[in-house]
Amino acid sequence: MATIQDIARMSGYSIGTVSRVINNRADVSERARKRIEEVIREQDYQPNSNARMLRQSVSSEISIIIRGTSSVFLQSVLEKTQIRVGEHGESASVQFIGETEDEVAMAVQVVQHLKPKGLIFLGGSVHNFQEEFSKIDVPSVLVSANADGLGYDNLSSFSTDDEGAAAYAVGRLVAQGHRRIGILGGYPGDSSGTMTDDCGALRIRGAVGELGKNGISFDFDNDYEGCAFSAEDGYKAAERLLLRTPDLTGIFALSDVMAIGAIRAFRDMGLHVPEDISVVGFDGILYAEYSNPRLTTIRQDAATLARKSVDSLLLMISYGSPAMHEQIPYRYVNGESVARPRE
Amino acid sequence: MATIQDIARMSGYSIGTVSRVINNRADVSERARKRIEEVIREQDYQPNSNARMLRQSVSSEISIIIRGTSSVFLQSVLEKTQIRVGEHGESASVQFIGETEDEVAMAVQVVQHLKPKGLIFLGGSVHNFQEEFSKIDVPSVLVSANADGLGYDNLSSFSTDDEGAAAYAVGRLVAQGHRRIGILGGYPGDSSGTMTDDCGALRIRGAVGELGKNGISFDFDNDYEGCAFSAEDGYKAAERLLLRTPDLTGIFALSDVMAIGAIRAFRDMGLHVPEDISVVGFDGILYAEYSNPRLTTIRQDAATLARKSVDSLLLMISYGSPAMHEQIPYRYVNGESVARPRE
DNA sequence: CTGAAAGCGCTTACAG
DNA sequence: CTGAAAGCGCTTACAG
């Protein structure tokens, strides 16, 4: 493996000049640049990134931290994020952490070890950023939660208006004539009754708020069943919910995978969706279009979320552009899982 | 951020001794070790990994290269792999590459840049390993394809018996009375008629072979439709296939996502699964259990695949254990998407 | 515009 | 068992 020494020797210049060429500095003669680039190409020379990072104390990589590998939606955002990073000629490495782990604590580790020049959080609780994030001074972007108002000038955020979208989805159920609506998924808050601020809590808040606006009361004890973001949990929770409160005619599930689990549960209970009970999901995962019945859902715009996040991060890194916070429009997708309730 | 210098100064030992403690070397007095470890803890000291890697020219990480982010099955293997790596107290970083890219070429880059102590390939074509892999001398493991017979002593492999499993699945269709069976997905080979050796080709070979054994001829022009490993492509290909060859009563799809796309297509054509047409998939993704109808499929053992792969890799790294090749048992899962053909 | 040199934080023979 | 020192491959003031 050639080193910078070899390139210097073979090109007839010093390692300092070679280094300047590698780093695209302006203060190099055209002649030197030409020659050195030639040798670099010939030798297929790749600078040792460890040495660079040791000196610069910053790597040329971006680190992506994704929480919850099981989230189909976040995985699609991850894929699109990687692609966008690649389009800019940058590279990113990915760190997975568990559903319950603290992404900011992880980020502190990553910054120390990998010295990334930028950080992308895929999924995350605003809660964890509240104070912990002050330890991080690398340009960062939080995807899928709103970090506006946290006051960090190195943290952008792009998210879906979870509260508004949930309200919209429930509004559609109400418009179809549903009055007995159940909510499935997430965890409404801690024992003190305070809601946490993750996307699940926001969706619940939006849904309950919309019901209230329509003069429909919501009884958490009967009409709500919490569960994790998986089909399996959605299945079980849906079963519990409907056994407990059989007169529900519509279900708002906090995610598509839960909705899919719920639909399967209802079928296994001998019910038909949407004839006997309507189900609306959230996310707009690819699979929703191929399920039977096709899922009616809120489709988040994963591609735009990914694109804007990467672009904003790169602008912060390269030009010191200010952090920005944006909500990306969602779409209500009419599938086949919602109908008017039976009379 | 504390450096080894600081720890040396504060503990009253030299940096050499501190380094020995960090690296768990035996030739350190108990007293020195105690004291130095104490200071390390107090200072929350973390060795600079760039400096270590620069010196050792090997990182302490494992690199995972996954091809095709869109494969739900591989993503589940990835998740389980990460978890297993974590259980051993190791850490891994993930590199995603496109469906059509060359994973071994990528690995060469990764080895140069990240200097991993081990490499895990999730998905990959034996073809690419044939000669290219000789450039890599890091202990590696190929998951989901059989590298036995390639003769690399630093490459283990764990896979499903794709050919046998496909034969089994098709055999079940035949046993139910199906005689007109179509195959969906993958690419049967290049123009010369030679089959490539990826898992798709193996599954096709197994399926066609089983049909032959049962005296059923298979006409590639009419009974086969290739497509990529996605629900969308499965949908379109299934539609084309059935329009072209309407008398098919059973479909073997090379993957579950294709099968799900196919089932949706058949429904949109006004058919019922399995009453009008049976569909069997391959992979055993989580979703198959929640689809409607539940999918009949070959379930690959993602957990065992992940566990054995990681364990084998770590044994190679730490003890120079020999590479091994193993096929992990699969299971035929009876869902609701297969029935006897109508008379 | 270019080169010589210091130094990033570590590991590892070498000598004792 | 321990310390002093070389050196991993690079970047970047500094001097010219």
Side-chain angles (χ1 to χ4, degrees), chain A residues 257-332:
Chain A
V257 288
M258 290 173 194
I260 283 164
I263 290 176
R264 186 67 245 185
F266 296 150
R267 275 201 65 83
D268 289 347
M269 292 167 86
L271 299 175
H272 290 270
V273 176
E275 295 81 356
D276 298 313
I277 186 162
S278 292
V279 176
V280 54
F282 201 112
D283 279 348
I285 61 176
L286 192 63
Y287 183 77
E289 298 171 49
Y290 294 93
S291 68
N292 178 26
R294 285 187 171 86
L295 194 60
T296 296
T297 189
I298 294 290
R299 181 183 296 155
Q300 299 194 66
D301 188 346
T304 302
L305 237 21
R307 182 170 49 75
K308 292 209 174 187
S309 296
V310 172
D311 292 358
S312 167
L313 183 67
L314 260 21
L315 286 170
M316 291 168 76
I317 292 171
S318 303
Y319 301 102
S321 305
M324 53 186 294
H325 304 274
E326 199 176 313
Q327 290 201 326
I328 308 299
Y330 56 87
R331 249 189 60 196
Y332 179 81

Coordinates of all heavy atoms in Angstrom, one line a residue, chain A residues 257-332:
Chain A
V257 N -47.5 -1.0 10.7 CA -47.3 -2.4 11.1 C -48.3 -2.8 12.2 O -48.8 -3.9 12.2 CB -45.8 -2.7 11.6 CG1 -44.9 -2.7 10.4 CG2 -45.4 -1.7 12.7
M258 N -48.6 -1.9 13.1 CA -49.6 -2.2 14.1 C -51.0 -2.4 13.4 O -51.7 -3.3 13.8 CB -49.8 -1.0 15.0 CG -48.6 -0.8 16.0 SD -49.0 0.8 16.8 CE -47.4 1.1 17.6
A259 N -51.2 -1.6 12.4 CA -52.5 -1.6 11.7 C -52.6 -3.0 11.0 O -53.7 -3.6 11.1 CB -52.6 -0.5 10.7
I260 N -51.5 -3.4 10.5 CA -51.6 -4.7 9.8 C -51.8 -5.9 10.8 O -52.5 -6.8 10.5 CB -50.2 -4.9 9.0 CG1 -50.3 -4.0 7.7 CG2 -50.0 -6.3 8.6 CD1 -49.0 -3.8 7.0
G261 N -51.1 -5.8 11.9 CA -51.4 -6.8 13.0 C -52.8 -6.7 13.4 O -53.4 -7.8 13.6
A262 N -53.3 -5.5 13.5 CA -54.7 -5.4 14.0 C -55.7 -6.0 13.0 O -56.6 -6.7 13.4 CB -55.0 -3.9 14.2
I263 N -55.5 -5.7 11.7 CA -56.4 -6.3 10.7 C -56.4 -7.8 10.8 O -57.4 -8.4 10.7 CB -56.0 -5.7 9.3 CG1 -56.3 -4.2 9.2 CG2 -56.7 -6.5 8.2 CD1 -55.8 -3.6 7.9
R264 N -55.2 -8.3 10.9 CA -55.1 -9.8 11.0 C -55.8 -10.3 12.2 O -56.5 -11.3 12.2 CB -53.6 -10.2 11.1 CG -53.3 -11.7 11.0 CD -53.7 -12.3 9.7 NE -54.7 -13.2 9.8 CZ -55.2 -14.0 8.8 NH1 -54.6 -13.9 7.6 NH2 -56.1 -14.8 9.0
A265 N -55.7 -9.6 13.3 CA -56.4 -10.0 14.6 C -57.9 -10.0 14.4 O -58.6 -10.9 14.8 CB -56.0 -9.1 15.7
F266 N -58.4 -8.9 13.7 CA -59.8 -8.8 13.5 C -60.4 -9.9 12.6 O -61.4 -10.5 12.9 CB -60.2 -7.4 12.9 CG -59.9 -6.3 13.9 CD1 -59.5 -5.0 13.4 CD2 -59.9 -6.5 15.3 CE1 -59.2 -4.0 14.2 CE2 -59.6 -5.4 16.1 CZ -59.2 -4.2 15.6
R267 N -59.6 -10.2 11.6 CA -60.0 -11.3 10.7 C -60.1 -12.6 11.5 O -61.0 -13.4 11.3 CB -59.0 -11.5 9.6 CG -59.3 -10.6 8.4 CD -58.7 -11.1 7.1 NE -59.3 -12.4 6.7 CZ -60.4 -12.5 6.1 NH1 -61.1 -11.5 5.7 NH2 -60.9 -13.7 5.8
D268 N -59.1 -12.8 12.4 CA -59.0 -14.1 13.2 C -60.2 -14.1 14.2 O -60.5 -15.2 14.7 CB -57.7 -14.2 13.9 CG -56.6 -14.6 12.9 OD1 -56.9 -14.9 11.7 OD2 -55.4 -14.5 13.2
M269 N -60.8 -12.9 14.4 CA -61.9 -12.9 15.3 C -63.2 -13.0 14.5 O -64.3 -12.9 15.1 CB -61.9 -11.6 16.1 CG -60.8 -11.4 17.1 SD -60.6 -9.7 17.7 CE -61.8 -9.8 19.1
G270 N -63.0 -13.2 13.2 CA -64.2 -13.4 12.4 C -64.8 -12.2 11.8 O -65.9 -12.2 11.3
L271 N -64.1 -11.1 12.0 CA -64.6 -9.8 11.5 C -64.0 -9.5 10.1 O -62.9 -9.9 9.8 CB -64.3 -8.7 12.5 CG -64.8 -8.8 13.9 CD1 -64.3 -7.7 14.8 CD2 -66.3 -8.8 13.8
H272 N -64.7 -8.7 9.4 CA -64.2 -8.2 8.1 C -63.8 -6.7 8.2 O -64.5 -5.9 8.8 CB -65.3 -8.4 7.0 CG -65.5 -9.8 6.7 ND1 -64.8 -10.5 5.7 CD2 -66.4 -10.7 7.2 CE1 -65.2 -11.7 5.7 NE2 -66.2 -11.9 6.6
V273 N -62.7 -6.4 7.6 CA -62.2 -5.0 7.5 C -62.4 -4.6 6.0 O -61.9 -5.3 5.1 CB -60.8 -4.9 7.9 CG1 -60.3 -3.5 7.7 CG2 -60.6 -5.4 9.4
P274 N -63.1 -3.6 5.7 CA -63.6 -2.5 6.6 C -65.1 -2.7 6.9 O -65.6 -1.9 7.7 CB -63.4 -1.3 5.8 CG -63.7 -1.7 4.4 CD -63.2 -3.1 4.3
E275 N -65.7 -3.8 6.4 CA -67.2 -3.8 6.6 C -67.6 -3.8 8.1 O -68.5 -3.1 8.5 CB -67.7 -5.1 6.0 CG -67.6 -5.2 4.5 CD -66.2 -5.6 4.0 OE1 -65.3 -5.8 4.9 OE2 -66.0 -5.7 2.8
D276 N -66.9 -4.6 8.9 CA -67.2 -4.6 10.4 C -66.5 -3.6 11.2 O -67.0 -3.1 12.2 CB -66.9 -6.0 10.9 CG -67.7 -7.1 10.2 OD1 -69.0 -6.9 10.1 OD2 -67.2 -8.1 9.8
I277 N -65.3 -3.3 10.8 CA -64.5 -2.3 11.5 C -63.5 -1.7 10.6 O -62.9 -2.4 9.8 CB -63.8 -3.0 12.8 CG1 -63.1 -2.0 13.6 CG2 -62.9 -4.1 12.3 CD1 -62.8 -2.5 15.1
S278 N -63.3 -0.4 10.7 CA -62.4 0.3 9.9 C -61.1 0.5 10.6 O -61.0 0.6 11.8 CB -63.0 1.7 9.6 OG -64.1 1.6 8.7
V279 N -60.0 0.5 9.8 CA -58.7 0.7 10.4 C -57.9 1.7 9.6 O -57.8 1.5 8.4 CB -57.9 -0.7 10.4 CG1 -56.5 -0.5 11.0 CG2 -58.6 -1.7 11.3
V280 N -57.3 2.6 10.3 CA -56.4 3.6 9.5 C -55.0 3.5 10.2 O -54.9 3.5 11.4 CB -57.0 5.0 9.5 CG1 -57.4 5.5 10.9 CG2 -56.1 6.0 8.8
G281 N -54.0 3.5 9.4 CA -52.6 3.4 9.9 C -51.9 4.7 9.8 O -52.5 5.8 9.7
F282 N -50.6 4.6 10.0 CA -49.7 5.8 9.9 C -48.3 5.4 9.5 O -47.8 4.4 10.0 CB -49.6 6.4 11.3 CG -49.2 7.8 11.4 CD1 -50.1 8.8 11.8 CD2 -47.9 8.2 11.0 CE1 -49.7 10.2 11.8 CE2 -47.5 9.5 11.0 CZ -48.4 10.5 11.4
D283 N -47.8 6.0 8.5 CA -46.4 5.8 8.0 C -46.4 5.8 6.5 O -45.7 6.4 5.8 CB -45.7 4.6 8.5 CG -45.1 4.8 9.9 OD1 -45.1 6.0 10.3 OD2 -44.7 3.8 10.5
G284 N -47.3 4.9 5.9 CA -47.3 4.7 4.5 C -46.1 3.9 4.0 O -45.4 4.2 3.1
I285 N -45.9 2.7 4.7 CA -44.8 1.8 4.3 C -45.2 1.2 3.0 O -46.4 1.1 2.7 CB -44.6 0.7 5.4 CG1 -45.8 -0.1 5.6 CG2 -44.1 1.4 6.7 CD1 -45.5 -1.3 6.6
L286 N -44.3 0.7 2.3 CA -44.5 0.1 1.0 C -45.5 -1.0 1.0 O -46.4 -1.1 0.2 CB -43.2 -0.5 0.5 CG -43.2 -0.8 -1.0 CD1 -43.4 0.4 -1.8 CD2 -41.9 -1.5 -1.4
Y287 N -45.4 -1.8 2.1 CA -46.3 -2.9 2.1 C -47.8 -2.6 2.2 O -48.6 -3.3 1.8 CB -45.9 -3.8 3.3 CG -46.8 -5.0 3.3 CD1 -46.5 -6.0 2.4 CD2 -47.9 -5.0 4.0 CE1 -47.4 -7.0 2.3 CE2 -48.8 -6.0 3.9 CZ -48.6 -7.0 3.0 OH -49.4 -8.1 2.9
A288 N -48.1 -1.4 2.7 CA -49.5 -1.0 2.9 C -50.2 -1.0 1.6 O -51.4 -1.3 1.5 CB -49.5 0.4 3.5
E289 N -49.5 -0.9 0.5 CA -50.2 -0.9 -0.8 C -50.5 -2.3 -1.3 O -51.2 -2.4 -2.3 CB -49.3 -0.2 -1.9 CG -49.0 1.3 -1.5 CD -47.9 1.8 -2.5 OE1 -48.0 1.6 -3.7 OE2 -46.9 2.4 -1.9
Y290 N -49.8 -3.3 -0.7 CA -50.0 -4.6 -1.2 C -50.7 -5.5 -0.3 O -50.9 -6.7 -0.5 CB -48.6 -5.2 -1.5 CG -47.9 -4.5 -2.7 CD1 -47.1 -3.4 -2.4 CD2 -48.2 -4.8 -4.0 CE1 -46.5 -2.7 -3.5 CE2 -47.7 -4.1 -5.0 CZ -46.8 -3.1 -4.8 OH -46.2 -2.4 -5.8
S291 N -51.1 -4.9 0.9 CA -51.9 -5.7 1.8 C -53.3 -5.9 1.4 O -53.8 -5.3 0.4 CB -51.8 -5.1 3.2 OG -52.6 -3.9 3.2
N292 N -54.0 -6.8 2.0 CA -55.3 -7.1 1.7 C -56.2 -7.0 2.9 O -56.1 -7.9 3.8 CB -55.4 -8.5 1.1 CG -56.8 -8.9 0.7 OD1 -57.6 -8.0 0.5 ND2 -57.0 -10.2 0.7
P293 N -57.1 -6.0 3.1 CA -57.3 -4.9 2.2 C -56.1 -4.0 2.2 O -55.3 -3.9 3.1 CB -58.5 -4.2 2.8 CG -58.4 -4.5 4.3 CD -57.9 -5.9 4.3
R294 N -56.0 -3.2 1.1 CA -55.0 -2.1 1.0 C -55.2 -1.2 2.2 O -56.4 -0.9 2.5 CB -55.1 -1.3 -0.3 CG -54.6 -2.1 -1.5 CD -54.5 -1.1 -2.7 NE -53.9 -1.7 -3.8 CZ -54.4 -2.6 -4.7 NH1 -55.7 -2.9 -4.6 NH2 -53.7 -3.1 -5.7
L295 N -54.1 -0.8 2.8 CA -54.3 0.0 4.0 C -54.5 1.5 3.8 O -53.9 2.1 3.0 CB -53.0 -0.1 4.9 CG -53.0 0.3 6.3 CD1 -54.1 -0.5 7.1 CD2 -51.7 0.1 6.9
T296 N -55.5 2.0 4.5 CA -55.7 3.5 4.5 C -54.8 4.0 5.5 O -54.8 3.6 6.6 CB -57.2 3.8 4.8 OG1 -58.0 3.2 3.8 CG2 -57.4 5.3 4.9
T297 N -54.0 5.0 5.2 CA -53.0 5.5 6.1 C -52.5 6.9 5.8 O -52.9 7.5 4.8 CB -51.8 4.5 6.0 OG1 -50.9 4.8 7.0 CG2 -51.1 4.6 4.6
I298 N -51.8 7.4 6.7 CA -51.1 8.7 6.6 C -49.7 8.3 6.0 O -48.9 7.6 6.6 CB -50.9 9.4 7.9 CG1 -52.2 9.8 8.5 CG2 -49.9 10.6 7.7 CD1 -52.9 10.9 7.8
R299 N -49.4 8.8 4.8 CA -48.1 8.5 4.2 C -47.1 9.6 4.5 O -47.3 10.8 4.1 CB -48.2 8.3 2.7 CG -46.8 7.9 2.1 CD -46.8 7.8 0.6 NE -47.7 6.6 0.3 CZ -48.3 6.5 -0.9 NH1 -48.2 7.5 -1.8 NH2 -49.0 5.5 -1.1
Q300 N -46.1 9.3 5.3 CA -45.0 10.3 5.5 C -44.1 10.3 4.3 O -43.9 9.2 3.6 CB -44.2 9.9 6.7 CG -44.9 9.8 8.0 CD -44.0 9.7 9.2 OE1 -43.2 10.7 9.5 NE2 -44.0 8.6 9.9
D301 N -43.5 11.4 4.0 CA -42.7 11.5 2.8 C -41.2 11.2 3.1 O -40.4 12.1 3.4 CB -42.8 12.9 2.3 CG -42.2 13.1 0.9 OD1 -41.4 12.2 0.5 OD2 -42.4 14.1 0.3
A302 N -40.9 9.9 3.1 CA -39.6 9.5 3.5 C -38.5 10.0 2.6 O -37.4 10.4 3.1 CB -39.5 7.9 3.5
A303 N -38.8 10.1 1.3 CA -37.8 10.6 0.4 C -37.4 12.1 0.7 O -36.2 12.4 0.8 CB -38.3 10.5 -1.0
T304 N -38.4 12.9 0.9 CA -38.1 14.3 1.2 C -37.5 14.5 2.6 O -36.6 15.3 2.7 CB -39.4 15.1 1.1 OG1 -40.0 14.9 -0.2 CG2 -39.2 16.6 1.4
L305 N -38.0 13.7 3.5 CA -37.4 13.8 4.8 C -35.9 13.5 4.7 O -35.0 14.2 5.3 CB -38.1 12.7 5.7 CG -38.8 12.9 7.0 CD1 -39.2 14.3 7.2 CD2 -40.0 11.9 7.1
A306 N -35.5 12.4 4.0 CA -34.1 12.0 3.8 C -33.3 13.1 3.1 O -32.3 13.5 3.5 CB -34.1 10.7 3.1
R307 N -33.9 13.5 2.0 CA -33.2 14.5 1.1 C -32.9 15.8 1.9 O -31.8 16.3 1.9 CB -34.0 14.8 -0.1 CG -33.3 15.7 -1.1 CD -34.0 15.7 -2.4 NE -35.5 16.0 -2.3 CZ -36.0 17.1 -2.0 NH1 -35.2 18.2 -1.8 NH2 -37.3 17.2 -1.9
K308 N -33.9 16.4 2.5 CA -33.7 17.7 3.1 C -32.8 17.5 4.3 O -32.0 18.4 4.6 CB -35.1 18.2 3.6 CG -36.0 18.6 2.4 CD -36.9 19.8 2.7 CE -37.6 20.2 1.5 NZ -38.4 21.4 1.7
S309 N -32.9 16.4 5.0 CA -32.0 16.3 6.2 C -30.6 16.2 5.8 O -29.7 16.9 6.4 CB -32.4 14.9 6.9 OG -33.7 15.0 7.4
V310 N -30.3 15.4 4.8 CA -28.9 15.3 4.3 C -28.4 16.7 3.8 O -27.3 17.1 4.1 CB -28.8 14.2 3.2 CG1 -27.4 14.3 2.6 CG2 -29.1 12.9 3.8
D311 N -29.2 17.3 3.0 CA -28.8 18.6 2.4 C -28.6 19.6 3.5 O -27.6 20.3 3.5 CB -29.9 19.1 1.4 CG -30.0 18.2 0.2 OD1 -29.2 17.3 0.1 OD2 -30.8 18.5 -0.7
S312 N -29.4 19.7 4.5 CA -29.2 20.7 5.5 C -28.0 20.4 6.3 O -27.2 21.3 6.6 CB -30.4 20.6 6.5 OG -30.2 21.3 7.7
L313 N -27.7 19.1 6.6 CA -26.5 18.7 7.3 C -25.3 19.1 6.6 O -24.4 19.7 7.1 CB -26.5 17.2 7.6 CG -25.3 16.7 8.4 CD1 -25.4 17.3 9.8 CD2 -25.2 15.2 8.4
L314 N -25.2 18.8 5.3 CA -24.1 19.2 4.5 C -23.8 20.7 4.4 O -22.7 21.1 4.4 CB -24.2 18.5 3.1 CG -23.5 17.2 2.8 CD1 -23.1 16.5 4.1 CD2 -24.2 16.3 1.8
L315 N -24.9 21.4 4.4 CA -24.8 22.9 4.3 C -24.2 23.4 5.6 O -23.4 24.3 5.7 CB -26.1 23.5 4.0 CG -26.6 23.4 2.6 CD1 -28.1 23.9 2.5 CD2 -25.7 24.2 1.7
M316 N -24.6 22.8 6.7 CA -24.1 23.2 8.0 C -22.6 22.9 8.1 O -21.8 23.7 8.6 CB -24.9 22.5 9.1 CG -26.3 22.9 9.3 SD -27.2 21.8 10.4 CE -26.6 22.3 12.0
I317 N -22.3 21.7 7.6 CA -20.9 21.2 7.7 C -20.0 22.1 6.8 O -18.9 22.6 7.3 CB -20.7 19.8 7.2 CG1 -21.4 18.8 8.2 CG2 -19.3 19.4 7.1 CD1 -21.5 17.4 7.8
S318 N -20.4 22.3 5.6 CA -19.5 23.0 4.7 C -19.6 24.5 4.7 O -18.6 25.2 4.4 CB -19.8 22.5 3.2 OG -19.7 21.1 3.1
Y319 N -20.7 25.1 5.0 CA -20.8 26.5 5.0 C -21.3 27.1 6.3 O -21.5 28.3 6.3 CB -21.8 26.9 3.9 CG -21.4 26.4 2.5 CD1 -22.0 25.3 2.0 CD2 -20.4 27.0 1.8 CE1 -21.7 24.8 0.7 CE2 -20.0 26.5 0.6 CZ -20.6 25.4 0.0 OH -20.3 24.9 -1.2
G320 N -21.3 26.3 7.3 CA -21.8 26.9 8.6 C -23.2 27.4 8.5 O -23.5 28.3 9.3
S321 N -24.0 26.9 7.6 CA -25.3 27.4 7.5 C -26.1 27.2 8.8 O -25.7 26.2 9.5 CB -26.1 26.7 6.3 OG -25.3 26.8 5.1
P322 N -27.0 28.0 9.0 CA -27.8 27.8 10.3 C -28.6 26.6 10.3 O -29.1 26.1 9.3 CB -28.6 29.1 10.4 CG -28.8 29.5 9.0 CD -27.5 29.1 8.3
A323 N -28.9 26.1 11.5 CA -29.8 24.9 11.6 C -31.2 25.3 11.2 O -31.6 26.5 11.3 CB -29.8 24.4 13.1
M324 N -31.9 24.4 10.7 CA -33.3 24.7 10.3 C -34.3 23.6 10.7 O -33.9 22.5 11.0 CB -33.4 24.9 8.8 CG -32.9 23.8 8.0 SD -32.9 24.3 6.2 CE -34.6 24.4 5.9
H325 N -35.5 24.0 10.9 CA -36.5 23.0 11.3 C -37.7 23.1 10.4 O -38.2 24.2 10.1 CB -37.0 23.3 12.8 CG -35.8 23.4 13.7 ND1 -35.3 22.3 14.3 CD2 -35.0 24.4 14.1 CE1 -34.3 22.6 15.1 NE2 -34.0 23.9 14.9
E326 N -38.1 22.0 9.9 CA -39.2 22.0 8.9 C -40.1 20.8 9.1 O -39.6 19.7 9.4 CB -38.5 22.0 7.5 CG -39.5 22.4 6.4 CD -38.7 22.5 5.0 OE1 -37.6 23.0 4.9 OE2 -39.3 21.9 4.1
Q327 N -41.3 21.0 8.8 CA -42.2 19.9 8.8 C -42.5 19.5 7.4 O -42.9 20.4 6.6 CB -43.5 20.2 9.6 CG -43.2 20.3 11.1 CD -44.4 20.1 11.9 OE1 -45.5 20.5 11.6 NE2 -44.3 19.5 13.1
I328 N -42.4 18.3 7.0 CA -42.6 17.8 5.7 C -44.0 17.4 5.5 O -44.6 16.6 6.3 CB -41.6 16.6 5.4 CG1 -40.2 17.0 5.7 CG2 -41.7 16.2 3.9 CD1 -39.6 18.2 5.0
P329 N -44.7 17.8 4.4 CA -46.1 17.5 4.2 C -46.3 16.0 4.1 O -45.5 15.2 3.6 CB -46.4 18.1 2.9 CG -45.4 19.2 2.7 CD -44.2 18.8 3.4
Y330 N -47.4 15.6 4.7 CA -47.8 14.1 4.6 C -49.0 14.0 3.7 O -49.5 15.0 3.2 CB -48.2 13.7 6.0 CG -49.3 14.5 6.6 CD1 -50.7 14.2 6.4 CD2 -49.0 15.6 7.5 CE1 -51.7 14.9 7.0 CE2 -50.0 16.3 8.0 CZ -51.4 16.0 7.8 OH -52.4 16.8 8.3
R331 N -49.4 12.8 3.4 CA -50.5 12.6 2.5 C -51.4 11.5 3.1 O -51.0 10.5 3.7 CB -50.1 12.1 1.1 CG -50.4 13.2 0.1 CD -50.1 12.6 -1.3 NE -51.0 11.4 -1.6 CZ -50.7 10.6 -2.5 NH1 -49.7 10.7 -3.3 NH2 -51.6 9.6 -2.7
Y332 N -52.7 11.8 3.1 CA -53.7 10.8 3.5 C -54.0 9.9 2.3 O -54.4 10.4 1.3 CB -55.0 11.5 4.0 CG -56.1 10.5 4.4 CD1 -56.1 10.0 5.7 CD2 -57.1 10.2 3.6 CE1 -57.1 9.1 6.1 CE2 -58.1 9.3 4.0 CZ -58.1 8.8 5.2 OH -59.1 8.0 5.7

